[in-house]
Amino acid sequence: MSDTAPKIRPTRTPAFEERLKKRYAAEKRFKIAGLSAIVFSMAVLVFLLVTMSINGIGGFQRAEMSVPIDFTQAGLSVDPSLQSESETVRSLEAQGLPAVVEFSAQQSLGEDAAEELNGEAWRLVGQQVAEDPSLLRSETEFWLPTSEALASAYAGDGNADLQPLAQQLAERGVLDNRLDLGFLERADATDPQLVGIWGALKGSILTMIVTLALAFPIGVLAALYLEEYAPKNRWTDLIEVSINNLAAVPSIIFGLLGLAVFLWLFPNLRSAPLIGGMTLALMTMPVIVIAGRNAIKAVPPSIRDGALAVGASPVQVVFHHVLPLALPGILTGTIIGMARALGETAPLLLIGMRAFVASPPDGFTDNATVLPMQIFLWSDEIDRGFVERTSAAIIVLLIFLLLMNGLAIYLRNRFEKKW
């Protein structure tokens, strides 16, 4: 055939044009479906956050009454030799501080309103006096929490007989919903006016520390061994299948395991963050192992070959070259596993971390609860105050989750390397 022969161009027949048009239309529909899914997900997320924020605003507030107290006539004093705030408060209680607060409330608010002052109001006055003893030389106005009955009446619920009193006090400007930052500093209580989230938040922090300290190193080392050193035989295949199955096991099964093993070994540590962290570590470890193996497998073989070529030992290849390059992927799996562990309640129910804990834990072996469990317990209460506190606790949980994930993402990006 001659090189100068005319080339035959393909003919775009009507059938071809119709098929091409259908393909373009299908691609356009796919893009629209994907964009719609993203928009719908974002809308649901925004709706959730807005709803929680609106409902949770009241949880960061509480009804308080203004009570002026003239300490110059009370005859109270603070002993400088007392070392702690609790000792100072007990000393003021022995000197008659509760009676002073009650008398001042009766004088300024009336007997009916004074009866609706919270029973622990004097303790808050004592704490402020312990922080600033100079208050005993002056007349000071204190905003003190009301009883739950008056707080509900002020919100429009509860006892209808107290609503006129609440309205009257509000018109006088001595009753108002004020920001309660102490909600972030107190522990659980039976009165929604006095509850706080710090006890559960500290319990969650301690539990997550134990979970991370156990699950991360063991999970990473297991992934390294299975991917780099383990021989390929039926035993390693069985281990791989078992790990994949463990990642899908319901969390309550791990709670049963913690109940049967850890509490049998340490019966005196029931409800402790140590036992809770060990139980959640069992649940988190398979996720880290699977993510770690995938990240290690994604490291190019040329990295290993180059390191071996310049004289690195197999251990140096793994820990100096492979592991640093796989670390971002490993941290991604760790983020997923820790986020799941933070929101779990079922395994912690079985090991007793649903106990009423009135003071924050001081260590890993003290009785404690966690944020999801605290939310679960408050959601069972019928008082309006607990409903608002539940929404506020959910906001705290979401913020804690975002901060924890944000730190993990920062570390992942910090150690990320490109080749």
Side-chain angles (χ1 to χ4, degrees), residues 193-205:
Q193 289 282 88
L194 302 175
V195 298
I197 203 66
W198 173 237
L201 179 59
K202 189 175 182 181
S204 289
I205 294 173

Side-chain angles (χ1 to χ4, degrees), residues 11-44:
T11 302
R12 301 183 63 161
T13 62
F16 174 81
E17 294 288 348
E18 185 65 24
R19 290 195 301 271
L20 186 63
K21 184 178 179 180
K22 288 182 178 180
R23 287 199 298 268
Y24 286 155
E27 181 179 358
K28 186 175 181 181
R29 289 194 300 269
F30 179 77
K31 290 181 178 180
I32 293 175
L35 181 61
S36 300
I38 295 175
V39 171
F40 177 75
S41 301
M42 294 298 296
V44 172

Side-chain angles (χ1 to χ4, degrees), residues 351-381:
I351 62 172
M353 293 194 75
R354 61 164 297 164
F356 176 81
V357 181
S359 60
D362 294 326
F364 295 102
T365 57
D366 294 336
N367 290 338
T369 186
V370 292
L371 276 172
M373 191 64 61
Q374 190 70 81
I375 294 171
F376 170 75
L377 294 175
W378 285 352
S379 65
D380 265 354
E381 302 289 342

Side-chain angles (χ1 to χ4, degrees), residues 62-347:
R62 67 177 176 184
E64 298 180 348
M65 288 190 292
S66 174
V67 180
I69 302 177
D70 187 2
F71 288 109
T72 60
Q73 306 296 324
L76 303 177
S77 62
V78 174
D79 187 353
S81 64
L82 298 177
Q83 299 296 322
S84 65
E85 179 184 282
S86 59
E87 292 178 347
T88 302
V89 172
R90 286 196 297 268
S91 175
L92 292 171
E93 180 184 9
Q95 298 177 50
L97 179 59
V100 172
V101 174
E102 182 180 0
F103 175 78
S104 301
Q106 291 175 352
Q107 293 296 311
S108 60
L109 303 174
E111 292 187 2
D112 292 340
E115 292 179 356
E116 297 303 328
L117 197 64
N118 195 284
E120 294 293 314
W122 68 269
R123 192 178 301 275
L124 302 180
V125 175
Q127 292 171 355
Q128 295 186 41
V129 172
E131 294 176 359
D132 185 9
S134 64
L135 295 176
L136 295 178
R137 298 190 295 271
S138 63
E139 181 179 354
T140 307
E141 180 185 27
F142 294 88
W143 283 90
L144 302 177
T146 68
S147 65
E148 169 58 18
L150 184 62
S152 298
Y154 182 53
D157 296 335
N159 192 347
D161 296 336
L162 290 177
Q163 292 183 6
L165 176 61
Q167 183 178 0
Q168 178 186 359
L169 294 173
E171 291 174 353
R172 290 171 51 189
V174 296
L175 174 62
D176 193 14
N177 283 326
R178 294 170 60 87
L179 181 64
D180 179 27
L181 294 179
F183 175 71
L184 301 175
E185 302 174 355
R186 299 187 297 267
D188 199 7
T190 57
D191 188 342
Q193 289 282 88
L194 302 175
V195 298
I197 203 66
W198 173 237
L201 179 59
K202 189 175 182 181
S204 289
I205 294 173
L206 295 176
T207 303
M208 290 298 103
I209 290 175
V210 175
T211 301
L212 183 63
L214 293 176
F216 183 74
I218 296 177
V220 172
L221 292 176
L224 284 173
Y225 175 78
L226 290 174
E227 198 60 36
E228 297 290 333
Y229 297 106
K232 303 302 180 182
N233 53 37
R234 64 178 61 186
W235 290 109
T236 55
D237 291 341
L238 179 62
I239 292 174
E240 292 176 7
V241 172
S242 300
I243 292 175
N244 291 332
N245 288 335
L246 283 175
V249 168
S251 59
I252 196 169
I253 304 300
F254 293 99
L256 291 171
L257 181 60
L259 177 64
V261 177
F262 298 142
L263 286 183
W264 178 70
L265 294 174
F266 309 103
N268 296 327
L269 297 182
R270 190 178 184 88
S271 303
L274 178 61
I275 300 299
M278 293 167 66
T279 303
L280 294 179
L282 293 177
M283 184 187 70
T284 307
M285 204 180 306
V287 179
I288 298 178
V289 172
I290 294 173
R293 292 194 63 191
N294 292 332
I296 294 169
K297 191 180 299 182
V299 177
S302 58
I303 299 293
R304 300 173 176 84
D305 296 338
L308 291 172
V310 297
S313 66
V315 174
Q316 290 175 327
V317 171
V318 170
F319 286 95
H320 294 178
H321 300 277
V322 176
L323 183 58
L325 293 176
L327 192 58
I330 296 174
L331 289 177
T332 300
T334 304
I335 293 171
I336 297 173
M338 293 297 293
R340 179 190 174 191
L342 178 61
E344 284 294 341
T345 57

